């Protein structure tokens, strides 16, 4: 008998019979064994036994072997005197009848209590499982949980869940309690005929003690296990039948109970909501995936921020590429901002509170401004940011969106234009002034000038014309490189001849220098002669600019590992350490050149680099220990096997 048996009822019996009454669980172990032995071996409804000279009566409910009451100890009048109650024959007879009735009533109480506990346990199981089911987004997981839970709640041997397809037929089944081997023995899958079809048509619960006796039963497929008791419950949501739950062979009784029906119908309602929610989740995720795919295809970088707490909830591929790191939303706003330093156009650091999208999210500002962003790899880009808040119908800010473009190339082009105009206006003015002045002087006073003066003026005009032609050629080359109009006409080159021709062309413009040429005999290269000639001219011009007067300029060429290495060395002051990273950049000129007021656009080495790399070679600078500068470049050599 369970310990929760109502104590007031036992107390009333004790008062009426004037003898103690206890449940079996309240007795010492020795008395429990004697009571059970007496009940097992005596045919009467109430058994008697003695222990330590004391008398006891034990009674057990007919349909509940766990419900046992024991009266005692007591004695009769002729027993030795003790402190226990005395029951005469009449009192003992009343006690027997009272025990028989009481144990029956208390058995019913115990059964009801066990049922209550079982129901509470089932409800707890359904409640906790329902929470897990409705939170699950994967439909397959939801369906498996439903069918397993249904079988467990009602104690069925087998359970199945049939789900309707979009055409209204239950063609898909999931099973519980049946091994994979058992399912594999089916000659064919169930098709939703018979009772399943009836459930789908009528949408009402069906409970049967023997499903084979129902008129709609069509038997079992080959290999299907035999089943008797049956409970079928429709799974519905919003008035639509989504499928059915089938439970068979209740293990603790011959058929399913009313309570089983209520529990499974409750679970079926949860299941309908869960299936509906899972479908909604899938559709929402599909729409979100399509939206993300569309946003990722946009050429502009896009960010979406949401408040409370402030976080980044959407980032497209272009934004991650532009910012230079993998972004996996949602991410706290502070962490997002820390990944990239931001500056104003004038290089002043931009405070996080002044970032356009933050202003939009927190203060509702619509902003359009330039922001310089430093990537994790150290590169800095210039972006044009458009940020705006998103509001609900009540005007409350619910999100902020930022669209930003990388305008680094545009800013570079703008700066290039400014630098180009500044340099051209300065560099072209000098030769044009010389040419114009000399020509006017010859036109106006040429007859009065002696022959030597006229020759000097004409020499200056010719020299400045060559210089002007060189400037124009460099600008044309720059334009062609930037526009992609750049080609090579490769052929065998006799390296010594090409170098000597370039030196001869420059001797008149640099009479103060001596040129020392050292070329390996029979050295042949493969390349565009005009392009390589331009590179040699540009590198020699660079040496002349840096080298003081009356110092030699050395030109060497030799074969090395399948390439021709050409080196030009001057003995000037050398290139400052700070200038080295920018030597091959456009419009960049060494500090020594500027200090010495040497003319030039700063394009010579920039163009040389592009021309050499187009040939598959390299160009670099060394600073010899004894001073000066040495520029090396390589072009493919023609060897015996090529």
């Amino acid at each position: 008998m369970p310990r929760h048996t109502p104590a007031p009822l036992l107390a009333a019996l004790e008062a009426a019979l004037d003898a103690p009454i206890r449940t079996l669980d309240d007795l010492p172990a020795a008395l429990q064994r004697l009571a059970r032995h007496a009940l097992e071996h005596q045919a009467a409804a109430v058994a008697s036994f003695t222990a330590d000279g004391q008398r006891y009566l034990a009674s057990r409910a007919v349909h509940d072997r766990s419900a046992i009451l024991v009266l005692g100890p007591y004695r009769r009048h002729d027993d030795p005197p003790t402190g226990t109650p005395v029951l005469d024959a009449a009192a003992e007879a009343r006690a027997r009848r009272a025990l028989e009735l009481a144990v029956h009533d208390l058995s019913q109480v115990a059964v009801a209590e066990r049922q209550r506990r079982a129901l509470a346990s089932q409800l707890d199981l359904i409640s906790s499982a329902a929470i897990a089911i409705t939170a699950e987004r994967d439909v397959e997981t939801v369906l498996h949980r439903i069918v397993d839970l249904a079988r467990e709640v009602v104690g069925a041997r087998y359970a199945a869940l049939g789900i309707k397809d979009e055409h209204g037929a239950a063609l898909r089944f999931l099973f519980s309690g049946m091994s994979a081997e058992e399912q594999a023995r089916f000659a064919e899958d169930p098709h939703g005929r018979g009772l399943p079809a009836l459930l789908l048509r009528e949408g009402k619960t069906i409970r049967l003690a023997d499903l084979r006796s129902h008129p709609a039963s069509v038997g079992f497929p080959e290999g299907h296990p035999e089943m008797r008791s049956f409970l079928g419950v429709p799974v519905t949501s919003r008035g639509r039948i989504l499928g059915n739950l089938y439970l068979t062979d209740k293990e603790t009784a011959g058929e399913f109970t009313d309570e089983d029906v209520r529990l499974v119908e409750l679970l079926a309602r949860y299941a309908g909501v869960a299936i509906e929610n899972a479908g909604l989740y899938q559709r929402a995720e599909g729409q979100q995936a399509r939206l993300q795919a569309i946003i990722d295809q946009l050429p502009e970088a896009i960010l979406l921020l949401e408040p409370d707490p402030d976080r980044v909830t959407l980032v497209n591929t272009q934004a991650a590429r532009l910012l230079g790191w993998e972004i996996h939303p949602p991410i706290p706003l502070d962490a997002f901002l820390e990944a990239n330093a931001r500056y104003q156009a004038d290089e002043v650091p931009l405070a996080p509170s002044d970032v356009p999208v933050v202003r939009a999210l927190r203060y509702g500002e619509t902003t359009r401004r330039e922001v310089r962003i430093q990537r994790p790899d150290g590169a800095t880009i210039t972006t044009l940011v458009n940020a705006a808040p998103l509001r609900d119908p009540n005007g409350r800010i619910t999100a902020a969106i930022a669209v930003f473009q990388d305008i680094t190339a545009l800013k570079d082009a703008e700066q290039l234009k400014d630098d180009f105009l500044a340099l051209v206006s300065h560099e072209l003015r000098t030769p044009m002034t010389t040419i114009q002045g000399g020509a006017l002087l010859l036109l106006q006073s040429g007859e009065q000038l002696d022959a030597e003066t006229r020759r000097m003026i004409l020499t200056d005009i010719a020299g400045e014309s060559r210089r002007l032609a060189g400037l124009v050629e460099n600008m044309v080359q720059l334009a062609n490189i930037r526009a992609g109009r750049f080609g090579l006409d490769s052929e065998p080159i006799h390296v010594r001849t090409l170098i000597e021709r370039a030196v001869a062309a420059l001797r008149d413009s640099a009479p103060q220098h001596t040129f020392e040429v050292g070329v390996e005999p029979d050295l042949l290269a493969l390349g565009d002669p005009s392009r390589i000639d331009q590179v040699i001219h540009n590198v020699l011009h660079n040496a002349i600019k840096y080298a003081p007067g009356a110092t030699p300029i050395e030109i060497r060429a030799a074969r090395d590992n399948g390439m021709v290495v050409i080196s030009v060395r001057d003995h000037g002051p050398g290139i400052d350490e700070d200038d080295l990273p920018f030597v091959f950049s456009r419009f960049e000129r060494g500090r020594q050149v500027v200090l010495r007021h040497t003319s030039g656009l700063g394009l010579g080495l920039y163009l040389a680099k592009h021309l050499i790399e187009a040939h598959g070679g390299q160009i670099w600078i060394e600073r010899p220990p004894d001073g000066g500068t040495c520029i090396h470049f390589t072009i493919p050599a023609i060897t015996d096997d090529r």
Side-chain angles (χ1 to χ4, degrees), residues 37 131 140 157 341 366 515:
H37 185 271
I131 293 173
E140 199 69 22
R157 177 169 293 136
T366 299
F515 295 88

Side-chain angles (χ1 to χ4, degrees), residues 286-564:
Q287 292 174 350
Q288 184 175 359
R290 286 192 295 271
L291 177 61
Q292 184 70 47
I294 292 171
I295 292 175
D296 282 339
Q297 298 303 315
L298 295 176
E300 291 82 12
I302 295 177
L303 291 178
L304 183 69
L305 276 67
E306 295 181 26
D308 303 324
D310 294 346
R311 63 201 185 280
V312 177
T313 55
L314 185 146
V315 178
N316 70 346
T317 303
Q318 183 64 19
R321 184 181 300 118
L322 189 148
L323 295 175
W325 56 288
E326 290 291 331
I327 308 172
H328 301 287
I331 180 173
L333 178 58
D334 291 341
F336 173 79
L337 294 176
E338 288 174 359
N340 298 94
R342 291 167 174 79
Y343 304 90
Q344 301 180 42
D346 57 2
E347 303 300 331
V348 175
L350 191 66
S353 59
D354 291 330
V355 172
V357 71
V358 177
R359 304 292 299 178
L361 182 67
R362 294 178 178 172
Y363 309 112
E365 296 181 3
T366 299
T367 308
R368 177 185 175 89
R369 68 180 298 180
E370 288 183 14
V371 177
R372 288 181 58 77
I373 298 176
Q374 187 175 39
R375 296 158 49 99
D377 61 7
T380 300
I381 59 174
T382 303
T383 61
L384 179 62
V385 183
N386 291 275
L390 303 178
R391 301 178 185 272
D392 63 15
N394 298 321
R396 185 174 62 91
I397 297 174
T398 58
I401 189 169
V403 179
F404 50 107
Q405 298 170 290
D406 184 358
I407 60 171
T408 304
L410 296 177
K411 297 299 289 184
D412 286 349
E414 185 178 315
Q415 186 63 44
L416 173 64
K417 180 190 69 175
D418 293 342
D419 294 343
F420 181 80
L421 291 175
L423 283 168
V424 166
S425 63
H426 177 268
E427 293 297 331
L428 294 184
R429 184 178 293 116
T430 300
M432 291 179 66
T433 300
T434 301
I435 294 170
Q436 184 180 34
L440 287 175
L441 182 59
L442 290 174
L443 284 173
Q444 295 172 358
S445 308
E447 296 178 355
Q448 288 79 30
L449 299 176
D450 58 70
E452 180 63 24
T453 301
R454 287 196 301 270
R455 189 187 68 79
M456 291 177 58
I457 293 174
L458 289 172
T459 300
D460 289 342
I461 291 174
E464 293 301 322
S465 297
R466 287 194 298 270
R467 177 182 166 195
L468 185 59
L471 293 174
V472 172
E473 178 62 25
N474 281 343
M475 288 187 288
V476 170
Q477 291 288 352
L478 173 64
N480 287 336
I481 288 173
R482 291 186 60 81
R485 299 188 299 269
F486 186 75
L488 297 176
D489 296 321
S490 294
E491 61 182 63
I493 299 172
H494 192 272
V495 178
R496 174 178 287 277
T497 300
L498 193 67
I499 292 175
E500 289 179 345
R501 187 184 301 131
V503 170
L506 289 171
R507 274 201 172 97
D508 291 341
S509 62
Q512 72 277 21
H513 291 288
T514 59
F515 295 88
E516 300 178 1
V517 179
V519 180
E520 183 179 304
D522 301 323
L523 185 60
L524 297 178
L526 183 65
D528 188 323
S530 63
R531 304 295 190 185
I532 301 302
D533 180 69
Q534 184 180 354
V535 171
I536 295 173
H537 272 78
N538 288 353
V539 174
L540 287 173
H541 271 298
N542 187 77
I544 292 170
K545 290 177 185 179
Y546 278 89
T551 58
I553 294 176
E554 304 168 8
I555 306 100
R556 302 283 185 264
R559 185 183 290 105
D560 183 17
N561 196 26
M563 303 293 286
V564 172

Side-chain angles (χ1 to χ4, degrees), residues 191-206:
H191 292 284
R193 297 191 295 266
L195 288 173
L198 179 64
L199 271 169
L200 286 177
R201 288 197 305 271
E202 297 185 355
K204 297 179 181 179
T205 298
I206 297 177

Side-chain angles (χ1 to χ4, degrees), residues 216-229:
S217 177
V218 294
F220 302 110
E222 183 180 349
H224 196 288
E226 289 290 325
M227 299 174 181
R228 297 185 67 84
S229 57

